Amino acid sequence: LKCAPRVLGSSPDRFKEIVERVKKMGFNPQRQSFVQGVNVIGRTASSTWKRKVEVYKKCGWTEEEVLVAFRKFPRCMLASESKILGAMDFLVREMGFNPSIFANRPHLISVSLRKTLIPRCSVVQVLLSKGLVDKNFSLQLLLECPENQFLKRFIIPHKEGAPELLNLYQEKLKIPN
């Protein structure tokens, strides 16, 4: 009731249609993600859904990867088109990541570009250029950990080899929208 009051207020036929659609997409009705899927499908117009699928495909995902991402993190279909394009453009074009990686980690689309992605990736670019981290660093550790863990893992251990990291990180955090 708290997650999807609007969906629950729809007609019984419409609600049944939404539930069946979510089941057909492979959601387990006994999992919390099922409720999230019902919420997203219930509040997303068919035309909007198609547009979002096209945006993800434009970013390099297949239709199957869009469904995989939706099953893992239904809210990825609620992100604005500009948010999706901005995050994927930065992560793929600027950072060189394979777009398919994000189909398995779709929650990263919701991470703030300005407050997290750009500052942290800027730090990693410096570390990579100086050979201070392996190219196969943990994307999860880079983008998903709390700030104190990020600092402990990527900045503090490299104070001597790359003393500019903390200033770079703080500067990137201050960049206006």
Side-chain angles (χ1 to χ4, degrees), residues 69-88:
F70 179 63
R71 283 191 297 266
K72 287 184 179 225
F73 185 69
R75 294 181 60 218
C76 72
M77 294 305 275
L78 296 177
S80 71
E81 293 172 39
S82 62
K83 171 76 172 147
I84 296 166
L85 290 170
M88 291 296 285

Side-chain angles (χ1 to χ4, degrees), residues 34-45:
F34 178 80
V35 174
Q36 294 169 357
V38 167
N39 182 21
V40 171
I41 293 294
R43 61 191 265 200
T44 305

Side-chain angles (χ1 to χ4, degrees), residues 2-8 10 14-15 18 21-22 35-49 51-52 70 74-75 77-79:
K2 283 182 4 182
C3 292
R6 215 166 80 189
V7 175
L8 291 172
S10 57
R14 171 78 174 124
F15 185 71
I18 292 167
R21 184 172 171 200
V22 172
V35 174
Q36 294 169 357
V38 167
N39 182 21
V40 171
I41 293 294
R43 61 191 265 200
T44 305
S46 176
S47 59
T48 302
W49 179 270
R51 243 185 10 259
K52 298 273 178 90
F70 179 63
R75 294 181 60 218
M77 294 305 275
L78 296 177

Side-chain angles (χ1 to χ4, degrees), residues 79-144:
S80 71
E81 293 172 39
S82 62
K83 171 76 172 147
I84 296 166
L85 290 170
M88 291 296 285
D89 182 59
F90 177 76
L91 293 167
V92 174
R93 192 175 53 81
E94 298 284 325
M95 292 302 297
F97 292 116
N98 183 324
S100 295
I101 292 171
F102 300 101
N104 290 315
R105 296 191 172 289
H107 58 283
L108 291 176
I109 299 301
S110 66
V111 172
S112 172
L113 185 63
R114 185 180 68 78
K115 293 179 181 176
T116 303
L117 297 179
I118 291 173
R120 290 184 180 198
C121 287
S122 297
V123 166
V124 166
Q125 284 176 322
V126 170
L127 292 172
L128 286 168
S129 72
K130 294 185 175 211
L132 296 173
V133 292
D134 188 303
K135 282 197 313 194
N136 299 319
F137 60 88
S138 167
L139 189 61
Q140 181 178 6
L141 196 57
L142 173 65
L143 300 176
E144 298 174 37

